[in-house]
Amino acid sequence: MGWSWLGVYACALVILPQSALEQLSRYSVEYPMVFRVANARTGTASHCGVLEFSAREGQAFVPGWLMETLALEAGDFVTVSNAVLPRGALIKIQPQSPAFLDITDPRAVLEFTLRQFTTLSPGDCFWINYLDEVHRVRVLSTEPGAAGILVVETDLNVDFAPPVGYQEPSARAGKSVAGSVV
């Protein structure tokens, strides 16, 4: 199925036309429904779930983070196909800025954000909105699926790579001057 992209919205899932659901209902589709979305121009691809089947015929709504990951522009054509991915066990991610470390509890914020996703694939760069700031986080690898994993209804272990641009504080800055107390 190929559709033209119509708009960016703040969600982790695509919105497809009713005809997609009608086509899928003729087959035994595994749930949750997972789709491979590919940029028809470049061939880059990722995976995602579906929010609903209410888009106009010939159009699909794609989240902004997925548009950025796939290098899509308004009006580009996407190819959407049903996919099956394994439940995830491990994901390795890398914040794209040291500002991510300013988040009070990054694991809690990440856990909350991941609840909005059905799948994640290596190369995805999803967004975390925290205190009016957008933090980009790139997926470096997923296990057991090299193409991607389901992140719903699973106990997912997360491994953090140092943020892009992060520099360890110097050893000298962390030392205090020793003195005697009388």
Side-chain angles (χ1 to χ4, degrees):
M1 297 177 253
W3 289 289
S4 165
W5 170 85
L6 183 61
V8 177
Y9 65 101
C11 185
L13 308 166
V14 296
I15 299 175
L16 299 173
Q18 180 69 30
S19 62
L21 179 60
E22 291 167 3
Q23 285 180 358
L24 290 166
S25 66
R26 295 183 202 137
Y27 305 100
S28 7
V29 177
E30 288 190 30
Y31 289 88
M33 285 189 189
V34 174
F35 297 92
R36 180 180 183 273
V37 180
N39 180 329
R41 181 175 35 85
T42 65
T44 56
S46 185
H47 297 88
C48 65
V50 63
L51 179 63
E52 57 188 46
F53 295 93
S54 63
R56 290 175 44 202
E57 191 58 40
Q59 297 178 333
F61 288 92
V62 178
W65 70 268
L66 187 55
M67 286 192 61
E68 187 176 279
T69 294
L70 299 178
L72 289 169
E73 297 176 16
D76 279 351
F77 282 89
V78 293
T79 303
V80 180
S81 54
N82 185 250
V84 177
L85 295 175
R87 296 213 182 276
L90 175 68
I91 187 167
K92 184 169 185 177
I93 61 172
Q94 181 181 41
Q96 298 300 288
S97 164
F100 182 81
L101 300 175
D102 295 337
I103 295 175
T104 306
D105 187 352
R107 284 200 183 266
V109 171
L110 180 65
E111 185 177 310
F112 175 79
T113 300
L114 289 179
R115 286 186 194 137
Q116 301 170 44
F117 288 82
T118 304
T119 71
L120 284 170
S121 300
D124 285 352
C125 190
F126 62 93
W127 303 342
I128 294 176
N129 294 309
Y130 180 76
L131 297 178
D132 296 326
E133 190 171 342
V134 175
H135 300 274
R136 286 172 169 72
V137 178
R138 181 161 314 277
V139 177
L140 299 178
S141 62
T142 57
E143 292 180 19
I149 56 171
L150 289 173
V151 295
V152 293
E153 299 175 12
T154 185
D155 186 18
L156 187 65
N157 292 308
V158 178
D159 186 16
F160 284 88
V164 171
Y166 175 74
Q167 294 181 1
E168 286 283 334
S170 68
R172 175 176 273 168
K175 290 184 179 178
S176 61
V177 178
S180 61
V181 177
V182 180

